[in-house]
Amino acid sequence: MANMFENILTLILDKDIIVLNIVSYIYFGTAVLVFLLLYSGITAPYGRYARGGWGLFVNGKIAWFVQEIPSFLVPVAFIVLGAPKLTQMPNVLLFTMFTIHYFQRACIFPFLIKGGKPTPFMPFSMALVFCLVNGYLQSAYILHHAEYGAEWWTRPHLWIGVCLFFTGMLVNIHADHVLRNLRRPGETGYKIPRGGMFELVSGANFFGEMLEWFGFAVACWSLPAAAFSCFTCCNIGPRAWQHHNWYLQKFEDYPKSRKAVIPFIL
């Protein structure tokens, strides 16, 4: 029975490259729309911008865990059901990068949150669907379609992308640590984040994640990874810009030399 399911899955996935390409192009189109909406001043209603009218509120920690976990469990399911490309070293490396990120985001990050605001159901459910689809998109391509050849280690883009990815991950994790520890026990309200990449940009956590997925796209050198990176930048890039403007309005002593999300540039 297990072999039958494995054979059926392999047959489907061998033919699904067209579907993966279509979903990737949908990502690009959606990314442009999201960027325009957010850049126009509309704020995604979660975190400091959470507000009514977007459904019932979900506990912040639970929302983070549930919405992110599909991008970890879907890849794991691919391994259980069969992953022919997992015998190739570059595919193993890329697959590991993707799953490490989402293990950290789903199984570690939410449970380190101190306090945290509840999330409206609508943005929570949209994030859940995205992580489910993206988990399939990236895993299906890496484990069933990506081919890097026998001399994969000679590909400069692979190593450049890996370095960018892990650099971005370290920036992201450190920025989250800084944000979690801004307030002392019993304190409330917002403070100016300092240290690390926050000395250069207001959205250090966003910069880190954007760098991660840009590096992932460079390493993969694939349409699905490029589409994911593009969507990520168009989604959280404007949010970093919104945070930057919010800080400037709220704090008179906010460092004027800081950029919003890209050091020294933007």
Side-chain angles (χ1 to χ4, degrees):
M1 182 66 72
N3 289 336
M4 182 184 73
F5 281 120
E6 183 177 337
N7 291 336
I8 292 174
L9 179 65
T10 300
L11 179 63
I12 294 173
L13 289 170
D14 284 345
K15 305 296 183 182
D16 80 334
I17 189 64
I18 296 176
V19 174
L20 299 184
N21 288 341
I22 291 173
V23 173
S24 297
Y25 287 123
I26 292 174
Y27 269 33
F28 282 117
T30 306
V32 173
L33 177 61
V34 168
F35 178 83
L36 293 175
L37 288 173
L38 294 176
Y39 192 73
S40 71
I42 296 174
T43 54
Y46 66 93
R48 68 187 60 181
Y49 310 115
R51 54 191 181 273
W54 294 85
L56 297 175
F57 283 88
V58 182
N59 176 274
K61 293 183 179 182
I62 295 175
W64 264 109
F65 172 74
V66 174
Q67 73 187 35
E68 301 288 317
I69 198 65
S71 281
F72 176 75
L73 293 182
V74 171
V76 171
F78 269 96
I79 295 178
V80 174
L81 296 173
K85 299 291 186 180
L86 204 56
T87 58
Q88 300 178 20
M89 196 60 199
N91 302 65
V92 173
L93 177 59
L94 297 170
F95 177 81
T96 301
M97 288 160 59
F98 186 80
T99 51
I100 282 178
H101 171 89
Y102 277 104
F103 178 80
Q104 195 276 334
R105 297 305 284 176
C107 301
I108 298 176
F109 170 75
F111 304 104
L112 295 176
I113 295 174
K114 297 178 180 179
K117 294 184 177 180
T119 301
F121 183 79
M122 185 63 71
F124 156 70
S125 60
M126 292 171 67
L128 173 62
V129 171
F130 178 83
C131 286
L132 184 63
V133 172
N134 197 54
Y136 176 86
L137 178 65
Q138 306 305 326
S139 301
Y141 184 81
I142 292 172
L143 299 179
H144 286 265
H145 299 286
E147 185 63 57
Y148 297 97
E151 297 185 351
W152 58 269
W153 63 87
T154 64
R155 290 172 171 258
H157 72 83
L158 181 64
W159 301 114
I160 292 172
V162 169
C163 290
L164 291 174
F165 177 87
F166 283 107
T167 299
M169 175 176 280
L170 290 175
V171 170
N172 191 16
I173 291 174
H174 179 262
D176 287 338
H177 171 76
V178 171
L179 292 174
R180 278 195 305 271
N181 292 281
L182 281 177
R183 306 181 192 92
R184 294 179 180 143
E187 288 185 332
T188 59
Y190 288 93
K191 291 187 174 182
I192 299 174
R194 301 185 187 278
M197 285 301 298
F198 280 112
E199 297 302 316
L200 299 177
V201 294
S202 297
N205 51 332
F206 300 124
F207 169 73
E209 187 155 358
M210 289 167 62
L211 184 62
E212 270 189 82
W213 296 123
F214 176 73
F216 182 73
V218 171
C220 290
W221 212 253
S222 69
L223 180 64
F228 177 32
S229 176
C230 176
F231 183 87
T232 298
C233 292
C234 290
N235 183 30
I236 64 178
R239 190 169 178 85
W241 173 73
Q242 292 170 347
H243 276 27
H244 182 68
N245 290 334
W246 185 90
Y247 280 125
L248 288 172
Q249 293 173 9
K250 187 172 182 64
F251 299 101
E252 293 184 359
D253 59 339
Y254 193 75
K256 301 299 187 291
S257 60
R258 284 190 195 180
K259 299 299 182 182
V261 65
I262 302 177
F264 311 111
I265 300 175
L266 180 65

